[in-house]
Amino acid sequence: MTTTSMTTQHQIAMVMDLNKCIGCQTCSMACKTLWTRDEGMGYMWWNTVNTMPGAGTPHHWEQMGGGYKDKVAQVGHLPTRKEYGDAWEFTHENQFDADPVEGTHLTFKGERPEWGPNWDEDQGKGEYPNGYYFYLPRICNHCTNAACKEACPRGAIEKRAEDGIVTINQDRCRGYRYCQPACPYKKIYYNQITKTSQKCVFCFPRVDEGVAPACARQCPGRVRFVGYLDDKSGPIYKLVKQWKVALPLHPEYGTEPNVFYVPPIAPPKFDEHGNLDESTPRIPDEYLVSLFGPEVLDVLKRIKGEMKKTHDGGKSELLNVLIAHEWKHMFGGLDRDPATVPQAGGMQSQALDYKPNRSTPKAMPAGAQPLVFHPGQRAK
Ligand code: SF4
Ligand code: SF4
């Protein structure tokens, strides 16, 4: 049992159906335009969508350590700005000025970039005609056993009691950056202007008003389900607990993520004669197991079983939920129209009122001790 799980009343969570993600980055832009427009946030993408198999964002984040092994905190790497990819500037003036420089092409300014979010888009793996890839959207997992929170010597990282959303109190943060290597998902960014760490806030000002996070509401693929893990009538409970078809990414990292994924089902392979061969999966089982753990194989069997049922003329409640005929049913009650929130200018200005750079000062809870992190420390 962890400190964080003991204090959370109703854990909010997200399920992303990887069979429906089209890699359009609408979620990334919805988040970017809402939350990371201030100074020092240019290179931040709290929501990323990478092609898998791929090195991801930051570059090779899966090999950067952090999290827990057998409940013991692991040493992690502090990602560099280069590994995230910078907020590149381009020579737009050469193209759009009244007097463009002849013979010049749109290019970057300064040092040649070597990596960035979505750098290896659509590369994937495998040989023609059996190549494969899928898209993996990622946000902070608002973990039950949040390694970032345990690592912060200032007690600046908070897990909200009412819904388990993990936030960084900008007034308490001093930019020590212990949280970044501690997070095994590398979902924390450092703002060099404010000298504080910043991350996804699960759109809590929207959630507080009954509105789903922007990445979920704006997703054209209807990929993202939102709700509370203990709400038996909501989609999250059904997908994670009842039908058990949604799994956390890298459960072995030990932080108990609250973002879950319905694993991807690829089309069959072609054999040497060009015929469909169902006997070996196009996405290797071992790759999916490395991402989602051994349970993923049973999950795939379960979903394929339901698909066969409907193919044979039957009905599947699971597939009906996954298809999301009615988008409002995806949000577990958080389906309020943002335009109806009684704030000047509607939801957008309300959400923008919360600036990660300018959060309301909060007092340290009575009797609370700052948590000091050592790499070998045991998780509570
Ligand atoms: Fe597009 Fe939705 Fe996938 Fe984001 S999660 S890339 S919005 S389909
Ligand atoms: Fe913290 Fe990382 Fe978990 Fe988010 S994903 S709560 S930043 S450990």
Side-chain angles (χ1 to χ4, degrees):
M1 183 65 77
T2 67
T3 312
T4 48
S5 63
M6 282 192 287
T7 55
T8 303
Q9 292 150 8
H10 304 288
Q11 178 65 54
I12 204 163
M14 191 178 282
V15 169
M16 305 198 205
D17 183 352
L18 298 184
N19 294 294
K20 290 164 50 180
C21 180
I22 53 174
C24 65
Q25 306 284 352
T26 307
C27 48
S28 306
M29 293 312 296
C31 178
K32 183 81 192 154
T33 51
L34 197 55
W35 296 115
T36 57
R37 303 193 309 188
D38 279 0
E39 272 196 283
M41 301 176 105
Y43 84 109
M44 293 186 197
W45 294 89
W46 291 354
N47 181 100
T48 49
V49 185
N50 287 120
T51 301
M52 303 296 279
T57 311
H59 195 204
H60 290 306
W61 65 271
E62 288 165 291
Q63 278 96 59
M64 286 186 181
Y68 301 98
K69 194 171 179 193
D70 300 328
K71 297 193 173 175
V72 177
Q74 299 297 296
V75 178
H77 167 70
L78 178 64
T80 64
R81 189 73 174 245
K82 253 189 173 171
E83 285 163 337
Y84 283 107
D86 223 327
W88 308 315
E89 288 188 38
F90 296 91
T91 56
H92 288 120
E93 62 277 11
N94 290 350
Q95 315 301 312
F96 301 123
D97 281 1
D99 188 16
V101 182
E102 206 172 318
T104 57
H105 303 284
L106 183 67
T107 184
F108 55 88
K109 289 179 181 174
E111 208 182 322
R112 186 179 187 83
E114 289 168 14
W115 194 253
N118 209 20
W119 186 274
D120 49 358
E121 182 176 31
D122 292 357
Q123 286 183 15
K125 276 218 167 149
E127 294 297 324
Y128 177 84
N130 288 318
Y132 64 92
Y133 65 78
F134 59 92
Y135 301 110
L136 182 71
R138 295 201 303 125
I139 59 173
C140 161
N141 294 294
H142 298 275
C143 305
T144 296
N145 192 17
C148 58
K149 180 177 183 296
E150 296 291 317
C152 177
R154 288 277 303 164
I157 302 187
E158 298 159 359
K159 190 164 172 70
R160 302 204 320 168
E162 63 271 39
D163 52 22
I165 292 176
V166 175
T167 61
I168 303 178
N169 185 316
Q170 296 294 292
D171 300 297
R172 191 169 296 286
C173 177
R174 290 289 178 273
Y176 299 152
R177 307 178 72 181
Y178 290 114
C179 53
Q180 280 187 286
C183 169
Y185 300 92
K186 300 297 172 273
K187 270 294 166 192
I188 298 186
Y189 292 79
Y190 179 66
N191 187 320
Q192 289 178 330
I193 303 294
T194 60
K195 308 218 179 307
T196 54
S197 297
Q198 297 173 333
K199 62 176 274 302
C200 159
V201 295
F202 211 90
C203 285
F204 77 78
R206 293 168 64 104
V207 168
D208 287 348
E209 297 291 343
V211 179
C215 58
R217 192 166 165 116
Q218 297 198 19
C219 170
R222 300 193 181 183
V223 168
R224 298 175 183 233
F225 299 81
V226 181
Y228 297 89
L229 269 171
D230 61 349
D231 172 11
K232 292 193 173 171
S233 62
I236 300 291
Y237 180 89
K238 286 181 182 167
L239 295 170
V240 176
K241 305 237 182 208
Q242 185 181 332
W243 292 313
K244 299 188 191 329
V245 292
L247 299 168
L249 178 63
H250 287 304
E252 76 279 10
Y253 290 171
T255 61
E256 297 177 43
N258 289 301
V259 172
F260 302 86
Y261 295 91
V262 177
I265 298 172
K269 272 177 139 176
F270 291 103
D271 66 17
E272 65 270 27
H273 308 295
N275 299 318
L276 291 177
D277 170 15
E278 305 260 7
S279 62
T280 44
R282 183 178 288 230
I283 304 177
D285 283 348
E286 55 273 23
Y287 180 60
L288 292 177
V289 168
S290 76
L291 292 179
F292 302 109
E295 279 176 64
V296 73
L297 302 181
D298 285 338
V299 169
L300 290 173
K301 269 189 214 148
R302 223 170 286 142
I303 300 173
K304 284 180 181 170
E306 293 293 306
M307 289 166 71
K308 180 157 184 341
K309 210 195 299 180
T310 55
H311 188 258
D312 295 344
K315 286 196 172 15
S316 163
E317 199 193 337
L318 167 61
L319 290 193
N320 274 340
V321 169
L322 288 174
I323 290 167
H325 298 282
E326 173 53 64
W327 66 269
K328 281 192 175 184
H329 295 166
M330 299 180 70
F331 297 150
L334 295 168
D335 57 6
R336 186 173 179 186
D337 180 349
T340 66
V341 176
Q343 296 279 332
M347 192 67 218
Q348 190 182 20
S349 72
Q350 193 266 350
L352 288 172
D353 275 350
Y354 170 80
K355 293 284 186 188
N357 296 356
R358 296 174 227 134
S359 69
T360 315
K362 281 188 190 162
M364 189 87 137
Q369 294 292 321
L371 296 160
V372 182
F373 171 81
H374 303 291
Q377 177 184 330
R378 283 206 151 254
K380 291 186 194 130

